[in-house]
Amino acid sequence: MSDDHAEWTLDPLTYVTAHGDAIATSETPDTDADPSPGGEEAESTPVAAPVDTTAKQKRRRLQQRYVGLYTDLVERGTPNAAEVAADQLGISTRTGYRWLQRWQSGAPMGVQRRSDAGRTHLPPEVEAQITRFQSGPGRARQSLATQVGDINTTLERHQLPHVSRSTVYRRLRALPAIERATTRQARERLKPTGTGHMGVLPYDLVEIDHWMIDLVLLNERDRQPEGVAYLTLLLDTRTRMVLGYHLSFDAPNQYAVGQACRMAFLPKDDVLARLNIQGTWPCCGIPEVLRGDNAKEFGSQMLSDLALKYRFLLKPARPYRPRDKAKIEAFFGSLSRYVRQLPGHTSIPRSGGWTDDTRPIYTLREFEALLVDHIVNRYHRTLHSGLDVTPLKLYEQLVPPAEDRKPIPHAEELRLDVLPQVPDGRMVHPHGVTLYNIEYWSDRLIPLIGNKRVYALKYDPYDISKVWLLVDGVYLPLTYRDPGFAPISLREYRTAQRRARKAGHDASDARAVMACRERELQRQRDSAESTRASAARPVTTPAPEELEETEEIAHLIAQVTRLKESE
């Protein structure tokens, strides 16, 4: 290829000739020679397209490659050079000839931009009405047909000409995407992200939330699959330290919230000792602000009284705004990636079933130890991408001295403070206090009978044999009025109520419910004893004559049955 023909290049590129030679056209020689085959002076000037899209860039480059390849083939004496070049580049012969004709005539190879491109031709009054309409609140999120109809109605009212659908569409596409989003979720996704809300020091802002762990766990009795567990967790937004948690098979409730807060407020040495984990977990204290979502358990009376007593602010997140709790949501995301690697993950059955390596192996207590070990010795000691330091090191640097923080509450008093509370309270009657149709009594209630005052009542859902009545800031323990009742959990009591109702008993009669529960337990004990006795009994094989006799009896029974059916 001659230097004369290398002048005609619009963009730097390299093309491959018919003989496989790589020819660079990025250099444009400074010469006045005519590159066209006709010998006439024809200068091809590149003109920018109105919108320099990727497709248009590829098309212009393909045109340049075609002309360069055609020129090289002509110099080499290749017959039908235009068709050969088109075939090598994968374009039709007709398109190749059309491009060749444009090049030979000196016309621009790209799409020529109009001199008035990008400028409106509408009257200023019409343009002002369109701009005023689309800048209104929520207008840009309406459908295109609605906007066209409303705009034309407005223009007709002002005696102005109508506009087309394409005119409104082009102006709509020119608006930022966040203004064109039609749903709140879409606007949330397009909103610029930032660091979000977080405190200056540890405990300034603490986030709390629930998470269902996608892991099948086993029960402690026979290590059979029990189900998934729920995690309630508190996270410090400044240092990303985990402050406390509660893990249970039960769905999230105010008991889980209270137990997680209790762990966050108190030292964790007993937790590490109970789970036999080596490590340090120095977090303990009362937050300044506690942020949860709008779940019912985060607006309970128990949590409100706890905030009032220990002087911290409850600041719920806005409804349907997960970014208001971005820190704890991000932690749950990283924890989910960790759980996904463990055997027993809930996605495994859908991908082919359990195997020896993927079937569930952890009980609730075993997974709790695994989780706490991961938090204390891995997460707290790993460099955090949002902090450029480990959470534990940042906590140790920023945590104020103990004398500058709120005092740590008394453990036993806090244990009662975080228990679930009866919403409407209870009055003291001559028979005591009633909860779930069960009567509770203590001699300390005698002075309170008949004073028409409503007291806060606390209970433990895992053992309702004892409740606590809050009287002038002091908890009075109350026990069953009937000493024959056995300790029972709230779930077991409600199950016994349903079974008593099916048996025809009055479900509001606590004695009938407790008697039904006692009979059920007795049957379980009898069945367990029979099973153990049967397992201990030696297995004997009947003699052949006994087997024959048994077969004859079965044959006679079958004959008698057939005779009765025929009658």
Side-chain angles (χ1 to χ4, degrees):
M1 181 176 178
S2 65
D3 292 339
D4 293 343
H5 293 113
E7 294 179 23
W8 187 92
T9 52
L10 299 181
D11 294 323
L13 57 98
T14 301
Y15 68 87
V16 181
T17 67
H19 300 281
D21 302 328
I23 301 178
T25 61
S26 58
E27 298 180 359
T28 305
D30 186 12
T31 177
D32 296 333
D34 180 15
S36 63
E40 299 178 357
E41 183 177 356
E43 182 180 358
S44 179
T45 304
V47 179
V51 180
D52 197 16
T53 62
T54 304
K56 292 181 179 180
Q57 292 177 3
K58 289 182 179 180
R59 185 180 181 86
R60 289 198 301 272
R61 285 183 170 83
L62 189 59
Q63 290 172 344
Q64 298 172 39
R65 292 181 61 189
Y66 174 76
V67 172
L69 183 57
Y70 166 77
T71 306
D72 179 65
L73 293 174
V74 169
E75 289 182 354
R76 296 175 184 271
T78 305
N80 301 322
E83 298 178 6
V84 173
D87 183 66
Q88 290 191 14
L89 295 180
I91 61 177
S92 67
T93 304
R94 183 176 179 179
T95 300
Y97 276 115
R98 187 172 66 251
W99 289 353
L100 188 61
Q101 183 180 6
R102 290 177 61 86
W103 173 64
Q104 291 174 345
S105 64
M109 297 296 290
V111 179
Q112 188 173 4
R113 183 187 179 106
R114 288 171 37 175
S115 59
D116 59 349
R119 294 195 293 270
T120 178
H121 295 270
L122 295 175
E125 298 83 0
V126 175
E127 193 69 39
Q129 290 294 336
I130 297 176
T131 303
R132 187 179 301 111
F133 179 85
Q134 290 188 335
S135 61
R139 294 290 191 179
R141 294 191 289 273
Q142 292 180 347
S143 66
L144 181 60
T146 302
Q147 290 194 46
V148 173
D150 293 349
I151 289 174
N152 285 330
T153 301
T154 305
L155 294 175
E156 186 175 350
R157 189 184 310 119
H158 291 82
Q159 298 182 352
L160 296 173
H162 288 193
V163 294
S164 65
R165 180 187 179 96
S166 59
T167 299
V168 179
Y169 177 75
R170 285 194 297 270
R171 282 154 179 76
L172 183 63
R173 297 300 299 177
L175 295 174
I178 191 171
E179 296 183 14
R180 291 185 278 109
T182 57
T183 62
R184 181 190 53 77
Q185 290 83 357
R187 294 193 296 275
E188 283 292 322
R189 289 196 303 269
L190 296 171
K191 186 182 296 183
T193 58
T195 58
H197 300 285
M198 64 181 185
V200 178
L201 295 174
Y203 306 103
D204 281 354
L205 176 60
V206 175
E207 294 177 351
I208 181 172
D209 204 355
H210 307 293
W211 180 54
M212 185 185 74
I213 302 173
D214 298 326
L215 195 71
V216 178
L217 300 177
L218 310 178
N219 57 45
E220 300 285 350
R221 300 183 302 276
D222 51 7
R223 300 191 71 87
Q224 293 299 313
E226 180 74 14
V228 297
Y230 295 88
L231 177 68
T232 302
L233 186 134
L234 284 83
L235 184 81
D236 179 59
T237 58
R238 182 63 183 93
T239 62
R240 310 300 201 279
M241 289 284 286
V242 176
L243 304 181
Y245 72 92
H246 177 72
L247 187 66
S248 172
F249 284 120
D250 296 329
N253 50 43
Q254 61 172 319
Y255 179 82
V257 173
Q259 295 304 310
C261 291
R262 176 171 174 257
M263 180 182 290
F265 296 173
L266 298 178
K268 315 293 188 297
D269 297 337
D270 57 338
V271 178
L272 299 178
R274 175 174 60 86
L275 299 174
N276 193 22
I277 294 176
Q278 303 296 325
T280 58
W281 198 353
C283 304
C284 62
I286 299 174
E288 297 293 336
V289 178
L290 183 63
R291 171 173 289 172
D293 53 27
N294 290 268
K296 183 173 65 174
E297 57 270 15
F298 294 130
S300 64
Q301 187 63 42
M302 178 273 298
L303 195 58
S304 299
D305 292 347
L306 198 68
L308 183 62
K309 181 174 182 178
Y310 294 103
R311 303 191 307 279
F312 63 87
L313 179 64
L314 292 177
K315 189 175 181 180
R318 294 173 297 172
Y320 308 106
R321 298 294 195 277
R323 289 186 180 181
D324 287 357
K325 301 189 284 76
K327 306 299 182 297
I328 196 168
E329 297 289 351
F331 173 78
F332 284 152
S334 63
L335 194 61
S336 176
R337 291 188 290 272
Y338 167 70
V339 170
R340 194 177 297 121
Q341 305 170 3
L342 300 177
H345 193 266
T346 55
S347 64
I348 294 176
R350 296 193 297 267
S351 60
W354 301 114
T355 64
D356 292 339
D357 297 329
T358 61
R359 68 177 64 256
I361 62 173
Y362 298 111
T363 63
L364 185 67
R365 178 182 173 83
E366 292 168 350
F367 176 75
E368 182 182 4
L370 192 72
L371 175 66
V372 174
D373 194 12
H374 171 78
I375 292 174
V376 172
N377 294 317
R378 185 175 178 181
Y379 170 74
H380 285 173
R381 298 177 180 273
T382 302
L383 185 68
H384 196 286
S385 59
L387 304 174
D388 293 331
V389 68
T390 65
L392 179 60
K393 187 173 182 180
L394 184 61
Y395 176 85
E396 293 173 345
Q397 293 173 355
L398 297 180
V399 63
E403 56 271 12
D404 296 338
R405 290 185 286 164
K406 297 177 182 178
I408 304 299
H410 189 270
E412 181 60 23
E413 183 179 4
L414 182 61
R415 183 184 73 85
L416 299 178
D417 288 334
V418 299
L419 287 177
Q421 182 172 320
V422 179
D424 300 328
R426 289 294 185 269
M427 296 177 60
V428 179
H429 299 279
H431 59 266
V433 175
T434 304
L435 178 65
Y436 301 119
N437 299 315
I438 303 176
E439 297 177 354
Y440 295 87
W441 177 257
S442 172
D443 292 340
R444 300 175 66 179
L445 294 179
I446 297 176
L448 307 177
I449 296 175
N451 61 5
K452 305 298 182 181
R453 181 179 171 184
V454 178
Y455 299 94
L457 186 66
K458 299 271 190 174
Y459 67 95
D460 185 351
Y462 291 93
D463 183 9
I464 60 174
S465 62
K466 180 185 291 188
V467 296
W468 291 265
L469 194 70
L470 184 60
V471 179
D472 298 331
V474 179
Y475 287 104
L476 300 182
L478 312 178
T479 57
Y480 289 146
R481 184 178 181 88
D482 188 339
F485 291 171
I488 189 175
S489 68
L490 182 59
R491 175 186 293 182
E492 293 171 340
Y493 179 75
R494 286 176 172 168
T495 302
Q497 277 185 316
R498 289 193 294 269
R499 293 181 177 175
R501 190 179 295 109
K502 288 182 180 180
H505 301 291
D506 184 6
S508 62
D509 186 357
R511 287 185 174 83
V513 174
M514 289 296 188
C516 181
R517 173 62 179 170
E518 185 60 32
R519 289 193 297 271
E520 180 183 353
L521 293 177
Q522 185 60 42
R523 293 191 190 97
Q524 290 180 2
R525 289 191 290 267
D526 295 343
S527 299
E529 184 65 27
S530 301
T531 303
R532 286 192 294 268
S534 176
R537 188 182 303 121
V539 179
T540 58
T541 304
E545 56 273 11
E546 293 179 357
L547 290 175
E548 293 178 359
E549 184 179 354
T550 303
E551 293 176 356
E552 292 178 358
I553 294 174
H555 181 66
L556 292 174
I557 293 175
Q559 289 180 347
V560 172
T561 304
R562 285 195 295 270
L563 289 174
K564 288 183 178 180
E565 291 177 352
S566 62
E567 294 176 356

